[in-house]
Structures are given as structure tokens and as C-alpha cells.
Amino acid sequence: MPTGPRRSVDATAVHGGRRAQDHLRRLGQTNDVPADRVTEVLRLTGLADVGHRRVGGFSLGMKQRLGSPRRCSAIPGS
């Protein structure tokens, strides 16, 4: 059974005016993850082709995938 605080991730918690790659860069900064990991995370989440787009235009599923690394408390593989 998992220990520690449980967090619910709201898919709409991402600033709609921010690009997906910028969102992941900020997330990485707060978790001491190198910026060069952003491309890999976009690829792992299936968002590599849309990383340059603003999140406000994303579907709910795309926003949920963008929030996946945050569910792990950091960018995967860090």
C-alpha cells in the first residue's frame, strides 16, 4: 500500500497560455530535473508533435497525459 500524502491531479491545472514544453520545463525546475529531459518526456507521453502548442487548445486527454509526470512527483526517469 502506498505511503505518504495522496495527490489528485487536475488536468486543467496547467496554464492554458503556456506551451506544453514550457510547462514541463517549469515542472522540471521545481524538481531539479534537467531541461533537456523535456523532449524525452514529451515523446514518452505521446505529445512530441504538439510540444510547441499552447495547452489551452489541448483535449482533456492530452492535458491528462501532460499531467502524468506530475503524478509521479517529478519527470519520469529523473
Side-chain angles (χ1 to χ4, degrees), residues 3 6 13-15 20 23 30-31 34 37 43 48 55 58 64:
T3 61
R6 294 182 183 206
V14 179
H15 189 286
H23 168 71
T30 62
N31 289 289
R37 296 268 307 150
R43 183 184 57 76
V55 177
F58 282 13
Q64 288 172 330

Side-chain angles (χ1 to χ4, degrees), residues 16-34:
R18 186 174 287 161
R19 296 180 303 160
Q21 59 196 14
D22 295 334
H23 168 71
L24 290 175
R25 261 192 212 103
R26 296 282 180 143
L27 180 61
Q29 286 173 343
T30 62
N31 289 289
D32 296 322
V33 177

Side-chain angles (χ1 to χ4, degrees), residues 24-54:
L24 290 175
R25 261 192 212 103
R26 296 282 180 143
L27 180 61
Q29 286 173 343
T30 62
N31 289 289
D32 296 322
V33 177
D36 59 354
R37 296 268 307 150
V38 170
T39 303
E40 182 180 358
V41 172
L42 286 170
R43 183 184 57 76
L44 290 170
T45 57
L47 298 172
D49 293 338
V50 296
H52 65 281
R53 287 184 34 202
R54 302 213 182 270

